[in-house]
Amino acid sequence: LEVIREHQPQLLLLDYNLPGLNGIEIYDLVHSTEGIQPIPSIMVSADLPRAEIARRNITGLRKPCRITDLIQTIESTLAQTIS
Protein backbone atom coordinates (compact mmCIF):
# COMPACT_ATOMS: atom_id res chain seq x y z
CA LEU A 1 0.00 0.00 0.00
CA GLU A 2 2.89 2.36 0.69
CA VAL A 3 4.27 1.80 -2.81
CA ILE A 4 0.85 2.43 -4.33
CA ARG A 5 0.45 5.66 -2.34
CA GLU A 6 3.94 6.81 -3.32
CA HIS A 7 3.82 5.96 -7.04
CA GLN A 8 0.07 6.29 -7.75
CA PRO A 9 -0.08 3.70 -10.55
CA GLN A 10 -2.60 4.09 -13.35
CA LEU A 11 -3.32 0.35 -13.43
CA LEU A 12 -3.02 -2.76 -11.26
CA LEU A 13 -2.07 -6.00 -12.97
CA LEU A 14 -2.93 -8.77 -10.51
CA ASP A 15 -2.70 -12.54 -10.48
CA TYR A 16 -5.44 -14.33 -8.57
CA ASN A 17 -3.20 -17.10 -7.19
CA LEU A 18 -0.66 -15.28 -5.06
CA PRO A 19 0.86 -16.49 -1.80
CA GLY A 20 -0.58 -14.87 1.31
CA LEU A 21 -3.27 -12.65 -0.22
CA ASN A 22 -4.94 -13.49 -3.51
CA GLY A 23 -5.48 -10.88 -6.22
CA ILE A 24 -9.09 -10.22 -5.14
CA GLU A 25 -7.99 -9.59 -1.56
CA ILE A 26 -5.29 -7.19 -2.75
CA TYR A 27 -7.81 -5.37 -4.96
CA ASP A 28 -10.27 -5.07 -2.08
CA LEU A 29 -7.56 -3.83 0.28
CA VAL A 30 -6.35 -1.19 -2.18
CA HIS A 31 -9.87 -0.01 -3.00
CA SER A 32 -10.91 0.23 0.65
CA THR A 33 -7.85 2.17 1.79
CA GLU A 34 -8.47 5.85 2.45
CA GLY A 35 -6.23 8.16 0.46
CA ILE A 36 -5.85 5.82 -2.49
CA GLN A 37 -7.93 6.71 -5.52
CA PRO A 38 -9.74 3.87 -7.32
CA ILE A 39 -7.29 2.17 -9.67
CA PRO A 40 -8.46 0.19 -12.71
CA SER A 41 -7.32 -3.40 -12.53
CA ILE A 42 -6.74 -6.43 -14.71
CA MET A 43 -6.79 -9.91 -13.20
CA VAL A 44 -4.56 -12.36 -15.09
CA SER A 45 -4.86 -15.94 -13.94
CA ALA A 46 -5.35 -19.53 -15.02
CA ASP A 47 -8.13 -19.71 -12.39
CA LEU A 48 -10.16 -16.55 -12.95
CA PRO A 49 -12.88 -16.14 -10.33
CA ARG A 50 -15.39 -14.83 -12.91
CA ALA A 51 -18.19 -13.90 -10.50
CA GLU A 52 -15.82 -12.12 -8.13
CA ILE A 53 -14.13 -10.03 -10.81
CA ALA A 54 -17.44 -9.19 -12.49
CA ARG A 55 -18.85 -7.98 -9.16
CA ARG A 56 -15.87 -5.64 -8.81
CA ASN A 57 -15.74 -4.58 -12.46
CA ILE A 58 -12.23 -6.00 -12.89
CA THR A 59 -11.12 -6.94 -16.39
CA GLY A 60 -10.09 -10.61 -16.57
CA LEU A 61 -7.58 -12.35 -18.82
CA ARG A 62 -7.01 -16.09 -18.66
CA LYS A 63 -3.45 -17.47 -18.62
CA PRO A 64 -1.74 -18.53 -20.69
CA CYS A 65 -2.34 -15.55 -22.92
CA ARG A 66 -0.55 -13.99 -25.82
CA ILE A 67 1.46 -10.87 -25.08
CA THR A 68 -0.51 -9.04 -27.77
CA ASP A 69 -3.76 -9.86 -25.91
CA LEU A 70 -2.26 -8.59 -22.67
CA ILE A 71 -1.08 -5.34 -24.27
CA GLN A 72 -4.44 -4.82 -25.96
CA THR A 73 -6.26 -5.41 -22.66
CA ILE A 74 -3.99 -2.94 -20.86
CA GLU A 75 -4.51 -0.32 -23.57
CA SER A 76 -8.27 -0.85 -23.57
CA THR A 77 -8.53 -0.65 -19.78
CA LEU A 78 -6.47 2.53 -19.64
CA ALA A 79 -8.48 4.09 -22.49
CA GLN A 80 -11.70 3.47 -20.53
CA THR A 81 -10.34 5.38 -17.55
CA ILE A 82 -9.38 8.37 -19.69
CA SER A 83 -12.77 8.73 -21.38
Side-chain angles (χ1 to χ4, degrees), residues 51-64:
E52 294 292 322
I53 65 174
R55 208 174 0 259
R56 290 165 176 83
N57 200 28
I58 302 171
T59 301
L61 191 59
R62 185 170 298 281
K63 289 195 301 188

Side-chain angles (χ1 to χ4, degrees), residues 65-78:
C65 64
R66 297 179 314 177
I67 190 69
T68 54
D69 293 338
L70 177 60
I71 292 169
Q72 182 179 16
T73 302
I74 290 170
E75 289 173 345
S76 173
T77 302
L78 289 174

Side-chain angles (χ1 to χ4, degrees), residues 1-5 8-14 21-41 56 58:
L1 291 176
E2 290 177 31
V3 172
I4 290 173
R5 276 194 192 109
Q8 299 178 8
Q10 294 181 4
L11 178 80
L12 294 177
L13 187 60
L14 302 167
L21 297 175
N22 68 41
I24 293 288
E25 293 167 329
I26 292 171
Y27 176 89
D28 288 346
L29 182 60
V30 168
H31 285 259
S32 67
T33 300
E34 190 174 320
I36 297 177
Q37 296 296 319
I39 303 169
S41 302
R56 290 165 176 83
I58 302 171

